[in-house]
Every structure is written in C-alpha cells, then in structure tokens.
Amino acid sequence: MTAALELDRLSVHFYNGRHDIAAVREASLSIAAGTSFGLFGPSGCGKSTVLRVVAGIELGWSGQVAAFGTPYRAGQKPQGRLRRDVQMVFQDPYASLHPRHSIRRTLEEPLIVNGIADARRVAAEALAAVGLPPDIAPRTPNALSGGQRQRVAIARALLLKPRLLLLDEPTSALDMSVQAEILNLLMDLKAAYGMTLLLVSHDRDVIAHVCDSAARMRAGLIEAILDRPALAAV
Amino acid sequence: MAEPLIEVDGLTVRFPTADGGWSTVVDGVRFAAGYERLAIVGESGSGKSLTARAILGLVPAPGQVTAERLHLAGRDLRNLTPSAWERVRGAEIGLVLQDPRFALNPLHRVGRQVEEALVLHTSLGRAERRERALDMLDAVGLERPRDVYHLFPGQLSGGMGQRVMIAAMLVARPKLLIADEPTSALDENLRRQILQLIADLAERHHMGLILISHDLQQVADFADEVIVMFRGRIVDRRGARDLAHSSNPYTAMLWNCRPSAATYGTRLPTLAAAEREALDDRGA
C-alpha cells in the first residue's frame, strides 16, 4: 500500500543574510494512509517548516517528498491532484480567514476556482459538516467566536475532499472546552472521510490524544519516532 | 468570623455596543473572601479578568462598573477618586499580570521598579527602600539579588521577569494580591514553581490571594476555594478538593475535557447545547 506521505532526507535551509540556518536536517518519515501522525518539539525545532513543505508553501528544500506516491518537485508548487489531496488548517483562525470576505465567499471561492459545480450547496454542506448553522454564511469572521472561526477554516480545508489534512497547532489559540470540541470534530471527520492527519503541536497531550504515532523533533532533526505505547508512556 | 477582607456583591461591568445598547460582561457577581486562597476560573469571555479589574478600579473607559457592595477590609471602593485609587493600588492591592515583558518598564532597572511602590506609598529613605527591595528579590527566589537589582527587564528570562513582577507587587505589603493568569506566558515546568511561590508568599505575608486562571486543574492545587465563571456569571463555587466531583455540568466538563494519552480513541466531554442554554439562563 502506498504511504500517504513519505519524506526521505528532507532538508530546509534558510539564509538570514549572514548565516545559513538548517531548519530541517535530513528528516525521513513515512505515514501510513488513514492514520494520524504527530510532529512535536520545542519552538524552532523545524516541525512547522516540515508542514509548510508538505503544504507546498515552502518551496526551497532538498531531498524527496511524495504524497500518495506522487513526488513533489523542489522549487515548484505542487500540481494536479496534489493541490486538492493536501489541505491545511492553520493555528490562528483570526489570521487565516479573510476579514472582509463573508464565510460564504471564503467557502465558495476554492470550489469555483476548481470548477466544481453547485458551489453554494457544497459550501452549505461543508458548514453543516463542521457543526455550524447555515445562518452564519453571510457573516464576516469578526462576527464569529474563535472556535467558530476554526470550524470555518476546517470546513474550507475539507471542501476539496483532501486525503491528507495538515494541522498546524489547530487548537492552541482556543479555550480548553473549545479545543475539546474541535478535536472531537477532527476525529469524527477523519473517520467519515477516511483522511490521513498530520498534526503539528507543541502540546504533547494533544499529540498523545490524537495520534497513532509521532516524531519528536529538536534542532531540525527527527530525534525519535514514537509508536502508541511510547506515546502513552510519557 | 471576622469581617471578610474582600466583599463583592452585585458587581456588574458593561460596555456600550455599536447599536446604542449595553453588553453586560460581568453580571451580578457576588463573593467574599478572607485570607484564604481563592481562584476565579473561566474561559474567554467569562468575565473573570474584568471582575479582577473592577476590584482594582481598572476597567477601561467606556466600561461602566456598578456594585451594591465593593469593600476591601471594610472600606468602600465604590466612587473613589482617581488619586484615592492610586493609594489603594500597590499599597492595599497588588496585581500580578500574565506577561512580565509587557508589565515591566523595559527602560528602568529592576531595582527602581521594585522600589517604586515604596516611593509612592511609604516614607522610607533610600537605603531602607533598597534593603526592602533586595530582601524581596531574595524572597521570590532570585539568586544573587544584588546583581538582579541592576539588570534591565530585557536581560531577564521569563521566569525571572515574573519573579521580579511578584517582588514589585509584594514589596509594599498589600493586603490582597490578585494574580491574573500569572503563569500563562511561562513554560510548563516553571508554572508550578511560580504558583507555589505566589501561594507561599501570600501565606507568609498574611495576604489574601485571588488567582485568576483558565486552567481549572492547575489552580485546584494552589487554591482553597474555587469560583467558576461562565459568560459573566458565577455558575459554581466549591472547595478545591471537591472540584473533581462537581455536580455542575460546566465545572465537570472543564475538569475532564483536557486531552491526554489516556483519552486516545475517546471523545472528549463537551457541553451539550441544552446544558449551555441552561447555564446561560440560570447563572447561580
């Protein structure tokens, strides 16, 4: 069976004008389709950079990256199916939604761009899938709570029926009770859509709750891969 | 029982809305506390921080504060003039905030900031002030207080900065210390240390302590009594030891909704819509 994601000696270097900084150093891992994988470690360990490469945001990398057997090309944005198969939810729902666009517009735009018919109905279904009432569609994000905004961001990521969902600290800006609701929602959606999850978090408890296995990173290196018993032992 | 240190009744804080109405963010809060350690716990929008701000006269304009009773050590805090508030803050009530990076003046050395309350509220001379400040820096667990005294806030780590802020707040020996999320900006391993320090100092200096937090499990270890707020109202109040078995659905949910390895593969408890509505209607 093809892995959902395979990284082989992935390296990312940044140049700050004086020094070369190795943000990710020869990271290799494989994520089985349909599982939840976690990446955790302290600030600056490179976990979010790995996610940004897989999302096609960070293009300056070396090594090999493939999702569902389709290779990425360094320096190029992902093409074709990859653009739909891989979607991302960001940490801060205040920053990741356009403040002047209605929720409806935010959700319909990716459908229209991808030539999907019946955008209004599909967008309405996406709202229902994340547990939001239809009457928030005409509102802008500032009229929503933090939890509601994160639900909108999740709805948007699900519109194109991704097979790999990337989650960058999806609950760390939220209250504890809202975090519980969003984590429940993500696990329900993963089961319903048969998705693979790649979750980045600094919170080991969140990783241990969600993930079937995880990688611990430090200073750009993958230090250890933890299976379920190892995650439970911490 | 002697007169409580702090007595609050009917405390209401509201802000004008764009359509000309009022949005009530603290709604009829009532509690009294002596020298025990009281925690006020709630999530965003629960009104916990504004309750503390109201006790300090720090609700920003155009917010409006009303109360049937707002007493500190028998003194009515309602309708104080700005200069009377300045004599209360620092001398009678100290406030420790979340993030020392914003609460300390980056341009002044530690020593000057710790001594400021003594300059404002006592007639101590320069040498005595310095001695009290050094004692306080030592009491909050800073190594080599004489060196720290001369540092600027930018030269301190987060944990050191928080200790300096605590020293600055305690140096004038207030009767009541309010700590508003004092550890939220700190690393996990520092949080317990700082909370323990605050709790110990409050006991040693015979101060009342109000700990404001979003983290129910954490404050349970450092408080005697816990008030739980939800959307501006007190919905639960009980001894810290009883929190794990609270019959209140919101408290029970807050207590149990934290994810961990033990909750893998299970749904986390959340409030059902009906419970949420019932809390909204009722308050306590």
Side-chain angles (χ1 to χ4, degrees):
Chain A
M1 195 173 119
T2 318
L5 181 69
E6 228 154 345
L7 307 180
D8 187 17
R9 283 163 290 152
L10 171 69
S11 293
V12 182
H13 291 256
F14 295 121
Y15 186 67
N16 72 354
R18 298 180 69 178
H19 303 285
D20 179 77
I21 297 160
V24 181
R25 297 192 275 171
E26 304 214 325
S28 298
L29 57 84
S30 174
I31 303 176
T35 65
S36 303
F37 191 90
L39 270 178
F40 68 98
S43 308
C45 71
K47 57 189 190 297
S48 288
T49 305
V50 171
L51 207 66
R52 290 170 65 84
V53 168
V54 180
I57 300 166
E58 178 59 54
L59 302 177
W61 48 269
S62 61
Q64 295 195 353
V65 179
F68 304 101
T70 306
Y72 286 56
R73 294 210 184 104
Q76 291 185 19
K77 294 204 165 178
Q79 304 292 324
R81 273 227 59 92
L82 278 180
R83 297 189 53 167
R84 297 170 69 168
D85 279 350
V86 181
Q87 296 291 329
M88 180 149 167
V89 176
F90 296 87
Q91 170 173 2
D92 186 351
Y94 293 78
S96 67
L97 299 175
H98 195 298
R100 303 284 292 274
H101 288 180
S102 70
I103 302 308
R104 175 177 293 137
R105 179 169 176 190
T106 293
L107 294 178
E108 287 181 8
E109 216 155 59
L111 296 168
I112 293 165
V113 166
N114 280 278
I116 291 168
D118 219 357
R120 180 143 303 186
R121 184 182 54 80
V122 176
E125 283 171 5
L127 274 184
V130 296
L132 288 173
D135 60 3
I136 71 155
R139 298 195 210 157
T140 49
N142 63 3
L144 306 184
S145 70
Q148 287 176 323
R149 286 181 216 207
Q150 199 58 305
R151 283 174 192 266
V152 171
I154 292 168
R156 177 176 58 182
L158 293 175
L159 285 170
L160 301 175
K161 308 231 174 334
R163 298 160 75 195
L164 174 60
L165 186 62
L166 309 174
L167 304 162
D168 189 7
E169 306 268 12
T171 59
S172 54
L174 304 176
D175 274 328
M176 198 74 85
S177 68
V178 182
Q179 165 170 287
E181 289 172 8
I182 295 294
L183 291 179
N184 286 347
L185 172 68
L186 286 170
M187 299 318 280
D188 292 346
L189 293 169
K190 172 179 177 287
Y193 288 64
M195 286 184 296
T196 306
L197 300 185
L198 175 52
L199 168 66
V200 161
S201 179
H202 70 282
D203 186 335
R204 301 200 53 149
D205 289 332
V206 170
I207 297 276
H209 170 76
V210 170
C211 297
D212 304 307
S213 52
R216 184 175 70 225
M217 291 189 70
R218 178 177 295 273
L221 293 168
I222 291 183
E223 277 191 327
I225 303 279
L226 287 76
D227 59 5
R228 201 48 230 170
L231 278 171
V234 182
Chain B
M1 190 180 136
E3 185 172 21
L5 177 61
I6 177 91
E7 268 187 287
V8 177
D9 194 2
L11 177 66
T12 297
V13 181
R14 53 184 200 160
F15 286 86
T17 57
D19 59 11
W22 290 92
S23 166
T24 303
V25 288
V26 176
D27 189 1
V29 160
R30 173 186 184 184
F31 66 89
Y35 292 94
E36 74 267 22
R37 298 178 292 190
L38 176 71
I40 302 179
V41 178
E43 298 189 291
S44 311
S46 64
K48 60 186 188 300
S49 287
L50 276 168
T51 297
R53 296 296 151 108
I55 295 171
L56 284 150
L58 288 176
V59 171
Q64 197 182 75
V65 180
T66 54
E68 283 152 39
R69 197 167 170 84
L70 186 57
H71 278 203
L72 177 76
R75 174 173 178 192
D76 196 342
L77 296 180
R78 295 175 303 168
N79 310 317
L80 289 187
T81 63
S83 66
W85 268 121
E86 273 170 25
R87 285 192 295 276
V88 170
R89 290 193 288 258
E92 311 264 328
I93 311 178
L95 175 67
V96 175
L97 292 164
Q98 180 169 340
D99 196 333
R101 283 173 301 180
F102 301 123
L104 296 172
N105 187 330
L107 299 177
H108 292 168
R109 291 180 197 276
V110 164
R112 172 168 169 183
Q113 303 197 53
V114 175
E115 284 178 27
E116 189 180 8
L118 299 176
V119 174
L120 292 171
H121 301 297
T122 70
S123 53
L124 295 177
R126 183 183 296 252
E128 288 168 299
R129 289 202 304 263
R130 184 185 159 97
E131 196 174 323
R132 282 268 291 272
L134 287 170
D135 284 350
M136 208 61 236
L137 289 172
D138 184 50
V140 297
L142 285 161
E143 285 171 38
R144 291 183 303 191
R146 270 166 214 287
D147 295 345
V148 175
Y149 185 93
H150 294 288
L151 295 178
F152 287 99
Q155 297 170 294
L156 306 172
S157 70
M160 288 170 80
Q162 200 58 306
R163 286 173 199 271
V164 167
M165 193 181 352
I166 294 167
M169 284 303 143
L170 295 191
V171 74
R173 295 179 188 155
K175 298 185 179 82
L176 175 66
L177 183 67
I178 298 178
D180 189 359
E181 302 273 10
T183 63
S184 297
L186 302 178
D187 286 340
E188 189 60 44
N189 51 357
L190 271 175
R191 291 184 183 174
R192 292 193 69 82
Q193 277 182 34
I194 294 291
L195 283 172
Q196 190 66 57
L197 173 72
I198 291 172
D200 288 349
L201 289 169
E203 190 167 336
R204 201 187 317 159
H205 294 262
H206 195 58
M207 286 183 302
L209 174 62
I210 298 180
L211 200 55
I212 313 278
S213 176
H214 68 282
D215 192 332
L216 189 59
Q217 297 212 6
Q218 191 161 49
V219 298
D221 292 341
F222 297 96
D224 303 309
E225 190 86 12
V226 177
I227 285 173
V228 180
M229 289 186 70
F230 180 75
R231 297 194 191 172
R233 293 180 188 164
I234 294 177
V235 294
D236 197 10
R237 171 170 190 165
R238 61 187 68 234
R241 278 183 215 159
D242 304 328
L243 279 175
H245 314 290
S246 175
S247 55
N248 181 282
Y250 185 67
T251 308
M253 185 275 302
L254 268 191
W255 185 263
N256 291 309
C257 73
R258 178 191 289 274
S260 71
T263 59
Y264 172 68
T266 68
R267 291 182 69 78
L268 296 166
T270 54
L271 269 192
E275 290 171 328
R276 196 174 286 279
E277 275 172 30
L279 279 171
D280 254 357
D281 291 346
R282 184 176 39 148

